[in-house]
Amino acid sequence: MKSPSSLVLFSLVACSGFVSAAVPLSSIKRVTNLPTASNRFIVEVDTAADIPSKRDSASLHERLYESIRARDIGFQVDKEFNEAGVFVGAALTLVDPADATALETSPGVKAIRPVKVFPAPRPVKIHVITGLDDPQIPPDTESTHILTGVDKLHAEGITGAGIKIGILDTGIDYTHPALGGGFGPGHKVIGGFDLVGDDYDGSNTPVPDPDPLDQCNGHGTHVAGIIGADPLANPFNISGVAFSASLSSYRVFGCAGSVTDDVLVDALLMGFRDGQDIMTLSLGGADGWTESTSEVLASRLVERGKIITIAASNDGASGSWYSSSPGNGINVISVASLDNTVIPIQTATVQGAQHDPIPYFSLFPIPVTEPLPIFATSNDTTVVDDACNPLPDDTPDLSGFLVVVRRGTCSFVQKLQNIADKGGKLTLIYDNGSGFAAIDVGDFNATLIQADDGAFLVSEFVAGVPITVSFPQEGGLIQFPDDTGGLISAFTSYGPSNDFFFKPAVAAPGGNILSTLPVPLGSYGVESGTSMATPFIAGSSALLLSVKGKSQAVTSNARTLFETTAQTISSSHTDGDPLQTVTQQGAGLVNVFNAIHSTTVLSPGEFILNDTAHFNGKHTLTVKNTGNSQKRYSVRHVPAGTAVTFQPGTIFPAVGPVPLTTAAASVSFSTSSFTLAPGASRSVVATFTLPEGDESTFPLYSGFIHVATDVEDLHVSYIGLGASLINAQVLDDTDVFFGEKIPAVIDASGNFQTSPTNYTFDSDTGDFPVLLWRQAFGTPIFRVDLVDANVNFIPTISSRQVKEDTGTPITFPRVRLGGTFARVPIIGSILEVDFLTRNNEDPNDNGFNTVAFDTPTFANGTTIPNGLYKYLIRSLKVTGDSSKEEDFESWLSPIVGVFA
Ligand SMILES: *[C@@H]1O[C@H](CO)[C@@H](O)[C@H](O)[C@H]1NC(C)=O
Ligand SMILES: *[C@@H]1O[C@H](CO)[C@@H](O)[C@H](O)[C@H]1NC(C)=O
Ligand SMILES: *[C@@H]1O[C@H](CO)[C@@H](O)[C@H](O)[C@H]1NC(C)=O
Ligand SMILES: *[C@@H]1O[C@H](CO)[C@@H](O)[C@H](O)[C@H]1NC(C)=O
Ligand SMILES: *[C@@H]1O[C@H](CO)[C@@H](O)[C@H](O)[C@H]1NC(C)=O
Ligand SMILES: *[C@@H]1O[C@H](CO)[C@@H](O)[C@H](O)[C@H]1NC(C)=O
Ligand SMILES: *[C@@H]1O[C@H](CO)[C@@H](O)[C@H](O)[C@H]1NC(C)=O
């Protein structure tokens, strides 16, 4: 997952109208950059199909391969999947990707989906320090557990015993004392498998082995500690949410890089076979749809009695409609992150003057035992570029000092290098504003302190007061209040999915979380991300199952239970600001104690009002009193902020934090108060009316229907759109991103083609066209067809390597499109990509799409005859009908001459 710090472009656009030419054309690489592996597909077999074979005894898989071979399709089997009733099929690499069409129509093939690539789970922030230990006895005082009622469950002895949790991640360092110190039956980590090996990076061949040990990455070890850290075996009193549960590690990432769908499918099926009750995946990538293989399978496993928790992702900076796969899986629990209320950090003390202990950003004390005199690199606490230049010649040898320097202008490392050049070994950097966070200082010994503390130290230095600073090796740890504590982490990706599913589902603490790291990587660290929130819900699910049992009734209702008993979260700490949009907080912060002990059951957890064209404004909720006394209930509506999901007057989604307004839906109820005897239930009908709103900003209304007694307060969460999704422009036809209008064909010299151009498709000289476009919004179907240069067709937009290995990128052109769509005369299909996500604002991440047409071939592999053509690109609007030409946006390229 990408870090939110990498945004830029549209935030500029947002505040200053249209800033153009931001992304230089020279930065566009002449390769295909779609998030699917070029020639690799997952084929799902219809087990009921009668696939003919020459041998009666042939297995289903053999029959499948036989029938594919009979169609002259060259392929290699990467993986076989054989879980009857769940998923039967294979991951195949095609010799010629163009054969995908033929593959799709082979007997017994139920579905074929391209292999998606998921980025490595990257934490948003991390700070690890090398350190020391001081073991203590632990009560559960963890702030994250107090926020969510987990501490009270632990006090009742509910710790997840007897529940099996499978973690699909980078592996686990099970040698860690807090994670049991061993592997296999009898240990905390009872099993698992390494599906990929250290060197796997998502593009090479996995090298599996039975041992999922991770001592090179660390992400999965942090995740495992959140679920399972043994409170008796660590110096920070960290206790896993379900520390008595049994863990299994399915290692799907190597030390670095990505993972592909087929590996995830394999791991999910392995976990299913191993009898995991819960599987958790702190991974994902922008998708917007619910259709990838791992999403479909994860969702199916929930129908088979499993609970599956998956990160909502860390793309909050990219704004709405940017939900992630596989978290979009319809039945899974997609998890948002809440910032912890405190951050564990150390303090230094001052001798020779009165001053409170100085908090510094480090989990472990700086290992310096002698008090140090200080030296300030500037006597002026307003200097903007302190120590950005080499220090003056008369600077003393700094090796015996604690150096104090102000943040600003140049990099930390540059300042620290200048200080090191004068012998400095240890530095405190004071902030130049109100910032206070973990910083990256490379190999130097330095950390951040607050501006006020820095100003104090400098003033003492200037005054010539001979103070010293020391670093207590014990007792210096404090729980520093986090400014954004208790709010949804800004990095949490916003939903909903483009097909309007409710994503994310619930939130859990994920910002500034202390947990385990591999022993060689420092043993403990603080990390942030929805990756940290996700195992919290997995652990919470284990607590639930350990109390209520593992029946299908419990597992398939888990999401609803967590949602209806969650706590709704504000959008800020300012009084009067609205609740955070449900599209980022889901149903709110999980309260596991309430989920388990509530004696009212409310269902469903979600009302989906959909868009205005498919408005579903009438919903029924059911309330059941499962307590043993009569209860009086009242029903009320509490709206959340309405997310203004598009920048007014543009086709661009608003970047995060997405602006909120207080324009809210109104709701009437069939009854607003009633009494229920023990065991009784009744239903209430809620009828919604959406407010007026500027449809062009695609306002997303959301909120909560509370059903409360004096002591209980549950809610159903709702989302609805005050616009019709078919009106969302899908193709970017502006010049905002590149300073010139797109879509465009880029010629051999890297310029936008503006006049007829001939190409030789000579790979040595690179003389081939590259298509460049942006999806302003996700699309169910993106297609490129070759048409006659003189085609009589008016597009909606007026004109003025699937990786390195192969030719034309597939997915596959489908034959099913009929209607007016089929009336446009085409010469042949070049490309079809289904369920494409929208692009984001970051040119270095998912800012735009390119496809290199480096061979002169149709999608089916046949060579395009020499001649003059145009490319016709068409993108189906969301909720559009694929047989209707008018539901597509389209663009015709300038004339492209094929002279190979
Ligand atoms: C751990 O718990 C013990 C007992 O309550 C307490 O004295 C100690 O300060 C705690 N340690 C940390 C690091 O919070
Ligand atoms: C602090 O320094 C950073 C880095 O140079 C700079 O971006 C920021 O504007 C400065 N802030 C203040 C308040 O001076
Ligand atoms: C960091 O501190 C350690 C221990 O005091 C010292 O050995 C090391 O040289 C310091 N590193 C740098 C880059 O100053
Ligand atoms: C900064 O203050 C110290 C202590 O008063 C003094 O020795 C030094 O000369 C001052 N530096 C400058 C550049 O004024
Ligand atoms: C919203 O409406 C569209 C169009 O009818 C439909 O395809 C989609 O499934 C609906 N979404 C949900 C979550 O019901
Ligand atoms: C492309 O090649 C054709 C056939 O050789 C020729 O007629 C045409 O003028 C060429 N176009 C350009 C722009 O060079
Ligand atoms: C491939 O597609 C082209 C263009 O539609 C068509 O002319 C050709 O017959 C197809 N070839 C095969 C082998 O189906």
Side-chain angles (χ1 to χ4, degrees):
M1 296 181 197
K2 83 180 180 107
S3 124
S5 58
S6 48
L7 89 135
V8 254
L9 197 64
F10 284 2
S11 48
L12 281 179
V13 172
C15 53
S16 56
F18 284 82
V19 177
S20 60
V23 181
L25 302 191
S26 57
S27 69
I28 304 170
K29 299 200 182 73
R30 296 178 56 73
V31 295
T32 299
N33 71 359
L34 299 178
T36 44
S38 57
N39 50 348
R40 304 187 49 210
F41 299 91
I42 296 176
V43 176
E44 188 175 357
V45 182
D46 181 355
T47 47
D50 187 16
I51 311 176
S53 169
K54 296 195 186 91
R55 287 187 305 120
D56 285 347
S57 63
S59 75
L60 198 57
H61 283 92
E62 285 162 351
R63 285 167 190 266
L64 173 72
Y65 305 147
E66 199 180 310
S67 79
I68 299 175
R69 266 184 224 109
R71 302 192 145 210
D72 256 348
I73 302 175
F75 64 97
Q76 165 199 315
V77 179
D78 299 328
K79 269 183 202 305
E80 277 186 3
F81 310 114
N82 195 3
E83 200 58 49
V86 179
F87 197 90
V88 177
L92 306 179
T93 298
L94 298 186
V95 173
D96 184 349
D99 285 336
T101 324
L103 181 60
E104 194 192 15
T105 53
S106 291
V109 171
K110 181 166 155 188
I112 132 169
R113 302 182 182 90
V115 169
K116 274 186 81 83
V117 184
F118 298 97
R122 196 156 77 223
V124 177
K125 276 191 262 169
I126 175 163
H127 80 268
V128 197
I129 312 287
T130 50
L132 60 149
D133 283 327
D134 63 331
Q136 317 241 9
I137 315 293
D140 187 350
T141 53
E142 256 181 274
S143 52
T144 56
H145 294 184
I146 294 166
L147 281 169
T148 52
V150 168
D151 61 329
K152 291 190 278 177
L153 294 168
H154 285 180
E156 292 177 351
I158 299 170
T159 56
I163 307 301
K164 291 170 71 177
I165 304 179
I167 301 174
L168 279 66
D169 212 293
T170 63
I172 296 179
D173 183 359
Y174 49 73
T175 70
H176 197 298
L179 296 174
F183 179 64
H187 293 280
K188 181 182 285 291
V189 181
I190 57 169
F193 195 76
D194 179 353
L195 289 89
V196 294
D198 280 3
D199 296 334
Y200 177 68
D201 63 10
S203 66
N204 50 5
T205 305
V207 182
D209 69 79
D211 183 358
L213 181 70
D214 167 24
Q215 295 193 317
C216 61
N217 185 307
H219 185 273
T221 302
H222 202 270
V223 163
I226 291 168
I227 300 175
D230 178 354
L232 290 170
N234 74 83
F236 294 98
N237 300 346
I238 307 169
S239 61
V241 173
F243 60 81
S244 302
S246 296
L247 309 183
S248 293
S249 171
Y250 300 95
R251 187 174 189 226
V252 296
F253 288 98
C255 294
S258 316
V259 62
T260 50
D261 239 2
D262 52 334
V263 174
L264 291 184
V265 167
D266 209 7
L268 284 166
L269 291 175
M270 210 178 268
F272 180 76
R273 274 196 303 276
D274 292 349
Q276 305 301 334
D277 303 307
I278 297 161
M279 283 188 265
T280 187
L281 294 78
S282 288
L283 56 89
D287 182 312
W289 299 98
T290 55
E291 306 279 345
S292 76
T293 313
S294 52
E295 280 168 340
V296 170
L297 174 61
S299 199
R300 235 178 249 174
L301 292 179
V302 176
E303 289 163 9
R304 298 290 303 256
K306 305 298 167 190
I307 295 179
I308 303 203
T309 55
I310 308 184
S313 274
N314 301 340
D315 290 323
S318 294
S320 309
W321 310 103
Y322 208 63
S323 60
S324 162
S325 170
N328 278 347
I330 292 173
N331 297 322
V332 311
I333 305 179
S334 159
V335 186
S337 168
L338 179 104
D339 280 351
N340 197 353
T341 46
V342 293
I343 312 171
I345 56 176
Q346 292 286 340
T347 48
T349 55
V350 179
Q351 298 81 43
Q354 276 300 95
H355 192 69
D356 287 339
I358 296 175
Y360 62 94
F361 241 95
S362 171
L363 180 55
F364 292 95
I366 290 174
V368 169
T369 49
E370 296 299 305
L372 292 176
I374 62 171
F375 180 87
T377 50
S378 171
N379 289 357
D380 174 4
T381 56
T382 61
V383 62
V384 293
D385 62 347
D386 196 3
C388 286
N389 294 309
L391 301 183
D393 290 344
D394 62 355
T395 307
D397 172 14
L398 297 179
S399 58
F401 289 96
L402 172 63
V403 180
V404 179
V405 62
R406 188 173 190 263
R407 177 180 203 163
T409 308
C410 61
S411 70
F412 297 124
V413 165
Q414 188 176 338
K415 290 173 195 270
L416 295 169
Q417 187 58 56
N418 289 332
I419 290 164
D421 289 346
K422 294 292 179 185
K425 287 206 166 60
L426 179 61
T427 303
L428 295 181
I429 302 172
Y430 61 99
D431 201 76
N432 56 351
S434 57
F436 193 40
I439 57 173
D440 183 4
V441 294
D443 290 332
F444 292 104
N445 299 315
T447 176
L448 195 69
I449 61 174
Q450 294 174 96
D452 286 353
D453 289 325
F456 165 78
L457 294 175
V458 174
S459 71
E460 295 296 294
F461 176 74
V462 172
V465 183
I467 62 165
T468 56
V469 173
S470 54
F471 301 93
Q473 299 301 295
E474 275 181 43
L477 188 71
I478 58 162
Q479 301 292 333
F480 189 81
D482 180 354
D483 279 351
T484 56
L487 298 177
I488 298 299
S489 310
F491 55 72
T492 298
S493 296
Y494 291 83
S497 68
N498 298 328
D499 36 9
F500 225 86
F501 284 90
F502 187 103
K503 299 289 171 186
V506 280
N512 291 313
I513 305 300
L514 172 61
S515 183
T516 45
L517 287 178
V519 176
L521 301 182
S523 292
Y524 297 93
V526 176
E527 296 193 8
S528 294
T530 52
S531 284
M532 283 65 242
T534 305
F536 200 100
I537 298 292
S540 304
S541 303
L543 300 183
L544 175 70
L545 299 191
S546 72
V547 175
K548 306 233 163 174
K550 304 178 182 180
S551 69
Q552 172 90 39
V554 176
T555 56
S556 51
N557 199 40
R559 185 171 80 192
T560 299
L561 196 53
F562 288 134
E563 287 175 344
T564 53
T565 55
Q567 181 196 331
T568 63
I569 300 295
S570 183
S571 59
S572 83
H573 286 315
T574 306
D575 280 350
D577 279 358
L579 294 175
Q580 186 54 273
T581 168
V582 170
T583 61
Q584 196 186 33
Q585 72 164 313
L589 175 65
V590 68
N591 187 308
V592 198
F593 185 85
N594 290 352
I596 290 178
H597 289 308
S598 172
T599 55
T600 295
V601 173
L602 182 62
S603 66
E606 308 165 354
F607 287 157
I608 294 171
L609 278 49
N610 220 322
D611 68 355
T612 48
H614 308 91
F615 183 61
N616 180 3
K618 205 167 196 181
H619 292 267
T620 302
L621 59 84
T622 304
V623 188
K624 180 166 190 193
N625 177 4
T626 56
N628 40 30
S629 59
Q630 173 172 298
K631 292 184 196 169
R632 176 110 195 117
Y633 292 94
S634 65
V635 184
R636 71 184 202 286
H637 170 218
V638 180
T642 290
V644 181
T645 67
F646 273 65
Q647 300 172 38
T650 78
I651 60 164
F652 302 111
V655 295
V658 173
L660 301 180
T661 71
T662 53
S666 55
V667 192
S668 65
F669 302 109
S670 57
T671 176
S672 60
S673 64
F674 52 90
T675 301
L676 288 181
S681 62
R682 71 164 292 166
S683 54
V684 177
V685 178
T687 308
F688 291 82
T689 312
L690 293 187
E692 301 286 303
D694 177 358
E695 290 197 17
S696 73
T697 64
F698 293 84
L700 232 151
Y701 303 99
S702 62
F704 309 95
I705 308 303
H706 285 262
V707 176
T709 67
D710 293 347
V711 291
E712 285 180 297
D713 189 358
L714 289 84
H715 64 259
V716 180
S717 312
Y718 73 85
I719 53 172
L721 185 66
S724 175
L725 276 173
I726 202 155
N727 295 328
Q729 186 170 329
V730 288
L731 289 175
D732 181 352
D733 62 345
T734 73
D735 63 0
V736 169
F737 214 78
F738 295 103
E740 294 184 41
K741 283 198 167 188
I742 49 174
V745 170
I746 301 178
D747 66 19
S749 56
N751 296 314
F752 281 11
Q753 195 191 315
T754 50
S755 55
T757 303
N758 290 342
Y759 295 93
T760 58
F761 293 85
D762 179 341
S763 55
D764 293 339
T765 59
D767 185 22
F768 55 82
V770 175
L771 182 66
L772 169 72
W773 82 102
R774 296 187 73 251
Q775 293 294 151
F777 208 75
T779 186
I781 298 175
F782 175 85
R783 243 183 109 99
V784 182
D785 292 298
L786 202 66
V787 296
D788 191 274
N790 301 313
V791 69
N792 182 17
F793 174 78
I794 301 167
T796 65
I797 298 173
S798 59
S799 305
R800 328 142 284 154
Q801 93 214 343
V802 186
K803 314 273 173 225
E804 292 71 41
D805 49 9
T806 53
T808 314
I810 312 287
T811 68
F812 29 93
R814 300 187 182 229
V815 273
R816 56 180 151 69
L817 305 161
T820 47
F821 181 88
R823 275 189 228 140
V824 180
I826 65 165
I827 292 169
S829 303
I830 303 287
L831 168 74
E832 179 180 323
V833 189
D834 293 348
F835 302 114
L836 200 51
T837 181
R838 76 169 172 87
N839 292 106
N840 75 351
E841 72 297 336
D842 183 353
N844 299 313
D845 178 23
N846 179 32
F848 54 86
N849 297 323
T850 50
V851 171
F853 294 128
D854 49 5
T855 57
T857 49
F858 294 107
N860 65 7
T862 303
T863 300
I864 299 170
N866 282 357
L868 300 179
Y869 306 97
K870 288 180 176 177
Y871 293 118
L872 167 59
I873 79 174
R874 285 180 283 186
S875 178
L876 181 61
K877 295 190 267 191
V878 177
T879 71
D881 177 342
S882 62
S883 69
K884 289 189 182 153
E885 183 58 36
E886 59 271 30
D887 284 358
F888 287 81
E889 287 170 15
S890 53
W891 176 79
L892 268 177
S893 75
I895 292 176
V896 169
V898 175
F899 292 99

